[in-house]
Amino acid sequence: MKFLITLLVVFIFNILFVKSQVQYVNFQPFLNGKCSGNSQGIGYSIQLDTCTTYDRNNTYMFTSSSNQVKWAQYSVENVIEPVCSGSATTTQTVKVGNCIKNTKIAFDESSLPAVQYFYKVSISNQPLINSNSYIKSFMYNVETCNENEVTNIQYFSNATKAVEKSTSRPSSYYCGASNQPYTYYCSIWGCGPSYTSANCQQINSTSPTLINQNNYYSVFCN
């Protein structure tokens, strides 16, 4: 009897541990429809079961069951913190392991893909990030900045070009000397580099994301 009780306790503990373990859905970019060869482009790694955002115009909730990933997109405007409630503007379901076109996979309107990508979908216990990449890491609704509490990541393979939706202006993302991250941005005043390294910066009113004292971001190269 004591042995059976012990087994039951261990079983319940294992269930609770698995449910409490943080997992991420990864969208790894490729330039071909087989998602083969070297991965390059704009990639994403996003915590499951957590409302999050890359900009102030859309929030997302990702869930996983039966070897599938489903996400709902919500249209918002200048939100104070991530909110995923009400009617979703779009929903999509994909099978884990599939290679899919980047249709509706452009989670940041300030950095849209400049070319056609295909994404390999996977789930992991840690964010999956390509090497030699420019990385934007976000931590929403946390007490202190802690890279172990990352909610979502966006990364750019070195020299990747992106386009801002509102202006259609291009930017390129680089990892320079000593892994220093910088962007090369063109505006009506011309083009030039901007060095963008950040370490646990609090997101504030000048940031192109959310405004909340419990939100942080980092920008770095790996």
Side-chain angles (χ1 to χ4, degrees), residues 93-108:
T93 302
V94 297
K95 187 176 180 180
V96 174
N98 275 12
C99 181
I100 59 176
K101 281 187 178 181
N102 70 336
T103 306
K104 297 183 180 179
I105 303 179
F107 305 124
D108 181 4

Side-chain angles (χ1 to χ4, degrees), residues 3 7 12 21 48 53 100 125 131-132 146 151-153 175 177 198 201:
F3 176 71
L7 284 179
I12 293 173
Q21 191 174 35
L48 291 172
T53 185
I100 59 176
N125 294 330
S131 59
N132 194 28
N146 185 345
T151 52
N152 52 309
I153 281 175
C175 293
Q201 295 295 307

